Amino acid sequence: SLAMLAADKAALEQQLAVSMLDLQWKELDYLHSNFKMLATSSALLLGFGFAALGLQTSFHPERAYSNASGHVVSTADDSIWELGTEHMTSWFFLSSVVLQALFTSVAAYGLSNHLLSLFIATTSIMCGPGLALRGPEGSVSVSVRHLEAQLKRAMRFFGRGLVATTTMIVFMGLRRPHN
């Protein structure tokens, strides 16, 4: 009877260990899919941010002309160094420079945060399951804990980048009346 109880206890412990391992693998799969979605979103916003940095600002309102659809288009020789002193002290010029500086700063901040989020997500996608598979006993739970910490880190960078991207869009809209 004592041997039977010991055998039942060992069987229950083995069943519990298998159930715990199955649960940890499900957690690992969940984290893996979260990292994939985060990497995709970060890459998309990173591309939008780089495209927005290529937008041109006109510092010469007198050289701009309206095209057929009524939009103001600046000319190709739009250099800030060609301005005279009367332009450099105008409200148009000062507000254009300030808005351009804010836009570029916020865009760079957003790009760097999205790039960090993408880097963390990509390395976690590539290396996380390998740690769980090739590590010693208990490595699945170590891998899950590590990936949870990395997901929190990546989400903080992504959140900062998302706020910066939204702010960049606001500055883009504020710059539009100047162009």
Side-chain angles (χ1 to χ4, degrees):
S1 156
L2 217 53
M4 190 84 141
L5 284 175
D8 284 345
K9 181 182 176 186
L12 286 174
E13 285 175 350
Q14 183 66 25
Q15 218 176 7
L16 178 64
V18 168
S19 295
M20 287 295 293
L21 191 60
D22 187 43
L23 181 63
Q24 289 171 341
W25 275 106
K26 286 179 182 178
E27 279 183 293
L28 192 65
D29 186 47
Y30 170 74
L31 289 168
H32 192 263
S33 66
N34 279 345
F35 278 120
K36 285 196 294 188
M37 287 186 283
L38 184 64
T40 302
S41 300
S42 291
L44 180 71
L45 290 173
L46 197 59
F48 286 150
F50 275 117
L53 279 179
L55 297 176
Q56 188 179 24
T57 299
S58 173
F59 293 109
H60 291 283
E62 73 280 357
R63 290 191 187 167
Y65 63 93
S66 294
N67 62 11
S69 63
H71 291 97
V72 176
V73 179
S74 61
T75 59
D77 59 342
D78 189 26
S79 172
I80 195 171
W81 304 112
E82 298 173 0
L83 293 175
T85 55
E86 70 279 353
H87 286 295
M88 288 195 181
T89 57
S90 70
W91 179 87
F92 177 84
F93 174 77
L94 293 175
S95 62
S96 292
V97 169
V98 167
L99 285 173
Q100 181 66 29
L102 287 172
F103 172 79
T104 305
S105 300
V106 169
Y109 181 72
L111 288 173
S112 63
N113 278 292
H114 284 304
L115 195 57
L116 286 168
S117 177
L118 180 62
F119 175 75
I120 292 170
T122 304
T123 55
S124 296
I125 288 169
M126 292 187 310
C127 301
L131 172 65
L133 288 171
R134 289 189 286 275
E137 177 125 1
S139 61
V140 175
S141 86
V142 170
S143 178
V144 167
R145 281 195 313 268
H146 178 71
L147 288 177
E148 285 173 343
Q150 292 304 314
L151 183 61
K152 285 180 186 176
R153 235 174 111 209
M155 287 299 288
R156 278 195 304 269
F157 284 122
F158 182 76
R160 290 177 194 142
L162 194 58
V163 168
T165 301
T166 305
T167 307
M168 179 183 72
I169 292 168
V170 168
F171 284 131
M172 194 182 308
L174 289 174
R175 278 181 11 171
R176 185 57 53 204
H178 287 95
N179 291 343

